[in-house]
Amino acid sequence: VRLLANTSALSEFLPETLAAFLTAYPNIDIDIEERPSYEMVEAISQGLADAGILSDAVDLGDLETFPFGHDQLVVIVPRGHRFTARREIAFHEVLDEELVGMSYSSALQQYLGHQAAPLGRQPRLRVRVNSFEAVGRLGEQGVGVAITPDPAAPRCRKSVDIGLLAPLS
């Protein structure tokens, strides 16, 4: 089975589900490739993949879809940051800040760039790292605003009172 998944699905939602599936069906092999959601629609439509786990924030075209999980992006900042008292933060506001981001090849990073383009903006990345934990830890230290999937955020924070977890809108 050829499966495409975005960064969040790949690291946060798939491991346990995939393990259970592969254990239950030992004769099925899965080839998983990380891709941004907007690329998956075309790839699946062209038969280059069998299925994908992608964000519904992109135009899904004629694909048949089923809910898999709720994936909210959040920001992590140090105590005292201007976002600290906020419960929601608009994406365009985050673009005014220096960011801690994932590697360029990360589907999440490509998604954020794709979302910034219609606003005539590009994320200003101060540093790129390869894990949500590293992104969060750098964000809570004030290196830049960190953006992670909500399920990854608790692993990023050293304690409950450090940093802010506010949904992006």
Side-chain angles (χ1 to χ4, degrees), residues 76-79 136-137 139-141 153 156-165:
I76 299 174
V77 296
R79 197 177 307 155
R137 290 177 66 194
E140 68 188 13
Q141 293 299 314
C156 299
R157 299 188 312 171
K158 290 186 238 173
S159 67
V160 259
D161 65 341
I162 295 178
L164 164 80
L165 304 176

Side-chain angles (χ1 to χ4, degrees), residues 48-124:
L48 301 175
D50 300 308
I53 301 174
L54 62 153
S55 168
D56 62 1
V58 299
D59 180 5
L60 300 172
D62 293 333
L63 293 181
E64 184 176 6
T65 62
F66 306 93
F68 182 75
H70 179 72
D71 185 20
Q72 176 72 52
L73 293 178
V74 298
V75 299
I76 299 174
V77 296
R79 197 177 307 155
H81 187 278
R82 71 182 183 103
F83 291 159
T84 300
R86 306 273 299 279
R87 299 206 37 86
E88 288 195 5
I89 300 159
F91 183 56
H92 71 86
E93 293 177 272
V94 174
L95 293 174
D96 293 335
E97 303 283 328
E98 289 185 322
L99 302 176
V100 175
M102 298 288 287
S103 68
Y104 181 75
S105 63
S106 156
L108 175 60
Q109 206 57 54
Q110 291 182 39
Y111 170 78
L112 294 173
H114 190 73
Q115 295 300 307
L119 303 172
R121 311 277 301 275
Q122 286 188 336
R124 293 183 302 146

Side-chain angles (χ1 to χ4, degrees), residues 19-68:
F21 179 84
L22 291 170
T23 301
Y25 299 95
N27 294 325
I28 296 178
D29 296 326
I30 300 178
D31 182 15
I32 302 174
E33 184 179 335
E34 181 181 356
R35 292 255 190 113
S37 295
Y38 64 90
E39 286 184 9
M40 284 189 243
V41 175
E42 185 174 340
I44 294 166
S45 296
Q46 293 178 354
L48 301 175
D50 300 308
I53 301 174
L54 62 153
S55 168
D56 62 1
V58 299
D59 180 5
L60 300 172
D62 293 333
L63 293 181
E64 184 176 6
T65 62
F66 306 93
F68 182 75

